[in-house]
């Protein structure tokens, strides 16, 4: 029995020891020089606290609400591919851990357990992550299955017109096991039955022409709320209008009324908020797509300022400590998602490991709240942190 880890980084080391090198590299790796991969973590280190003292923190309430779902802490499971590489129970174990921690799991489009298996395994609140394939009916079929199986929201990952260059996978000649939800749906060489190099073949399958107007198509095939994952700039977060007052007025229109750029020439671009998304996830895909994209904690505030509270903003990338969760909330996120630590927990100790990863992060976050003088998540403000630019 491996030693009991005391933090998330120790889970990473246990996972490294437990997994074949090819699989560990698949989980741990990032794009190209892995500059952004390091930055995702290190940018958190450059933010310090402005703790307040003599606040009654004898009781701390970590809970929060995301899209009407009350969860025990602002820590959600990010969509990550192929959990069966980490543990034979795959995403089913992860979903059970999510349920026992009372949090949300976002199931990956490229999961190794099926939508139905995951739905049957626990009563966790589940969101379903989507890629849009050139063959739209494949994506539409999966949306319907997610709806039928009680998934509560869709997360459209929008930073993947093509897959980033993950050199470890290229060197290891990474072969993925079957993609359970795609069984029988793909006629290309991306085989769901025998396993394949999905990473390489996906470029032929993904719809690289996907653009903002296709959100209408997605909205037309589902009633589920849609979150967009992969936003890193203010331009993609907001309507660009001459004045904030004007854009606030526009947001008073009923949701069903679609504003057209040509009828409102002062709108230069129609982006996430206007197309009616239910939430935004500031993410660089765990640094697996575009190297030298910014660390997500560095990009967060820009998007927060643009969105002005109109929809909830979540973030992921590099969250490894409870202090990181606090920093993200102080800079305007409503919750964080964690990717790699979950698969490391799963690889090291199965469902129990995932539970421990979430519990540890919650414990650290609670301690941070106590030591900064914040008895509930509502008490966490911008004034509790100092970014590098603000250093004196
Ligand atoms: C991912 N991520 C991801 N995102 C997504 O939308 N669909 C997916 O299938 C996957 N698959 C995936 C596999 C692996 C192995 C990793 C590490 C990541 C990205 C994921 O949702 C999330 O954005 C990052 O993992 C967050 O960064 P951290 O927590 O891993 O640092």
């Amino acid at each position: 029995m491996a030693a009991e880890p005391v933090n998330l980084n120790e889970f990473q080391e246990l996972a490294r020891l437990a997994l074949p090198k090819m699989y560990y590299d698949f989980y741990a790796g990032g794009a190209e020089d892995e500059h952004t991969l390091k930055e995702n973590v290190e940018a958190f280190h450059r933010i310090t606290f402005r703790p307040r003292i003599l606040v009654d923190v004898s009781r701390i309430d970590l809970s929060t609400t995301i899209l009407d779902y009350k969860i025990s802490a602002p820590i959600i499971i990010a969509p990550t591919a192929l959990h069966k590489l980490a543990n034979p129970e795959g995403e089913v174990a992860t979903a059970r851990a999510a349920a026992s921690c009372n949090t949300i799991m976002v199931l990956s489009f490229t999961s190794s357990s099926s939508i139905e298996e995951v739905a049957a395994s626990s009563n966790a609140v589940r969101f379903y992550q989507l890629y849009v394939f050139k063959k739209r009916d494949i994506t539409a079929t999966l949306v319907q299955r997610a709806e039928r199986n009680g998934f509560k929201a869709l997360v459209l990952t929008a930073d993947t017109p093509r897959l980033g260059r993950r050199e470890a996978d290229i060197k290891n000649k990474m072969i993925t096991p079957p993609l359970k939800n795609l069984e029988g749906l793909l006629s290309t060489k991306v085989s769901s039955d025998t396993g394949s190099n999905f990473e390489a073949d996906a470029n032929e399958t993904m719809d690289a022409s996907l653009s903002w107007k296709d959100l209408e198509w997605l909205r037309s095939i589902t009633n589920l709320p849609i979150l967009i994952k992969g936003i890193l700039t203010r331009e993609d977060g907001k309507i660009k209008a001459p004045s904030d007052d004007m854009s606030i007025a526009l947001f008073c229109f009923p949701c069903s009324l679609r504003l057209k750029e040509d009828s409102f020439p002062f709108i230069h671009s129609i982006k996430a908020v206007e197309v009616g998304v239910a939430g935004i996830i500031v993410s660089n895909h765990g640094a697996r797509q575009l190297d030298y994209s910014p660390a997500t904690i560095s990009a967060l505030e820009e998007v927060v300022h643009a969105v002005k509270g109109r929809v909830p903003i979540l973030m992921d990338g590099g969250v490894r400590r409870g202090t990181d969760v606090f920093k993200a909330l102080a800079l305007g996120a409503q919750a964080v998602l964690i990717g790699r630590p979950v698969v490391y927990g799963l690889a090291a100790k199965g469902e129990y490991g995932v539970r421990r990863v979430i519990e540890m992060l919650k414990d650290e976050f609670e301690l941070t709240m106590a030591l900064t003088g914040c008895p509930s998540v509502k008490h966490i403000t911008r004034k509790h942190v100092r970014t590098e630019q603000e250093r004196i």
Side-chain angles (χ1 to χ4, degrees):
M1 172 86 174
E4 194 63 28
V6 298
N7 60 45
L8 268 52
N9 292 327
E10 292 189 2
F11 263 111
Q12 175 164 2
E13 182 54 17
L14 286 187
R16 194 181 64 76
L17 296 172
L19 289 173
K21 182 178 181 324
M22 178 190 281
Y23 295 169
Y24 174 77
D25 287 354
F26 170 71
Y27 288 138
E32 298 185 357
D33 296 326
E34 301 190 335
H35 170 82
T36 300
L37 185 66
K38 295 179 201 94
E39 264 295 290
N40 267 356
V41 171
E42 285 170 9
F44 275 110
H45 300 172
R46 296 193 290 269
I47 300 170
T48 54
F49 290 120
R50 299 183 69 247
R52 303 298 306 275
I53 57 169
L54 295 177
V55 179
D56 178 356
V57 288
S58 52
R59 283 184 189 190
I60 304 265
D61 180 7
L62 304 185
S63 67
T64 192
T65 300
I66 301 294
L67 302 188
D68 294 338
Y69 299 101
K70 187 162 187 204
I71 50 177
S72 61
I75 300 166
I76 293 174
I77 297 181
T80 51
L82 299 170
H83 288 197
K84 283 193 181 170
L85 298 182
N87 181 286
E89 286 193 301
E91 288 81 359
V92 162
T94 312
R96 288 197 184 120
S100 58
C101 294
N102 185 16
T103 191
I104 297 167
M105 171 183 181
V106 186
L107 181 67
S108 166
F109 193 77
T110 49
S111 61
S112 42
S113 309
S114 73
I115 289 176
E116 291 75 13
E117 285 169 317
V118 173
S121 68
S122 82
N123 58 2
V125 174
R126 286 165 270 104
F127 295 175
Y128 188 63
Q129 178 258 320
L130 279 182
Y131 290 124
V132 176
F133 279 2
K134 284 177 191 155
K135 290 189 177 161
R136 291 284 165 94
D137 51 332
I138 294 180
T139 300
T141 302
L142 292 174
V143 167
Q144 283 157 15
R145 279 170 60 190
E147 271 185 2
R148 263 203 316 273
N149 285 280
F151 284 67
K152 304 292 187 200
L154 299 173
V155 172
L156 176 68
T157 299
D159 57 12
T160 315
R162 292 169 58 173
L163 281 189
R165 217 180 126 78
R166 302 154 193 180
E167 292 181 0
D169 294 344
I170 297 170
K171 278 193 207 141
N172 291 332
K173 300 190 170 41
M174 173 69 189
I175 299 292
T176 65
L179 298 171
K180 202 62 183 160
N181 290 319
L182 299 176
E183 266 170 7
L185 294 175
L186 290 171
S187 52
T188 72
K189 59 185 170 156
V190 183
S191 164
S192 60
D193 304 321
T194 57
S196 72
N197 186 345
F198 176 75
E199 303 283 316
D201 295 346
N203 287 337
E204 293 180 21
T205 319
M206 304 277 203
D207 186 352
S209 77
L210 195 75
S211 68
W212 287 101
K213 63 179 167 25
D214 296 308
L215 262 285
E216 283 302 321
W217 165 76
L218 189 54
R219 287 168 63 93
S220 76
I221 62 163
T222 182
N223 291 321
L224 292 178
I226 300 166
L227 294 94
I228 296 210
K229 176 170 180 277
I231 285 182
L232 289 170
T233 60
R234 65 172 69 81
E235 291 87 341
D236 282 343
K238 75 172 210 175
I239 283 187
K240 204 154 167 261
S243 79
D244 288 334
D245 287 344
M246 180 62 81
S247 54
I248 285 164
L250 292 172
F251 282 108
C252 294
F253 279 58
C255 282
S256 56
L257 181 61
R258 291 278 158 276
L259 301 174
K260 294 276 183 290
E261 274 187 89
D262 48 2
S263 48
F264 292 90
F266 45 84
I267 302 175
H268 308 305
S269 59
I270 298 182
K271 296 292 158 64
V273 173
E274 199 276 339
V275 293
V277 300
I280 283 174
I281 305 179
V282 173
S283 172
N284 56 27
H285 211 116
R288 294 161 77 80
Q289 286 296 103
L290 177 64
D291 203 13
Y292 298 93
S293 54
T296 43
I297 192 64
S298 309
L300 174 61
E301 235 185 343
E302 165 175 338
V303 180
V304 167
H305 285 157
V307 171
K308 293 187 183 355
R310 290 162 191 136
V311 296
I313 297 180
L314 316 184
M315 71 82 67
D316 69 25
V319 174
R320 300 293 180 268
R321 285 283 186 185
T323 49
D324 299 338
V325 180
F326 186 103
K327 290 169 184 178
L329 265 63
L331 292 173
Q334 280 202 3
V336 301
L337 297 88
I338 48 170
R340 291 181 182 82
V342 167
V343 282
Y344 295 151
L346 189 62
K349 289 171 183 283
E351 176 187 332
Y352 169 78
V354 178
R355 218 166 55 227
R356 284 300 299 139
V357 161
I358 297 167
E359 282 168 356
M360 259 182 215
L361 206 53
K362 278 168 67 173
D363 288 349
E364 290 179 4
F365 177 52
E366 185 187 24
L367 179 61
T368 310
M369 289 171 70
L371 296 179
T372 51
C374 295
S376 81
V377 293
K378 288 199 186 76
H379 288 86
I380 301 173
T381 69
R382 181 63 180 81
K383 290 191 174 156
H384 286 96
V385 292
R386 179 177 281 143
T387 61
E388 205 176 20
Q389 295 78 7
E390 294 161 346
R391 280 245 174 93
I392 26 169

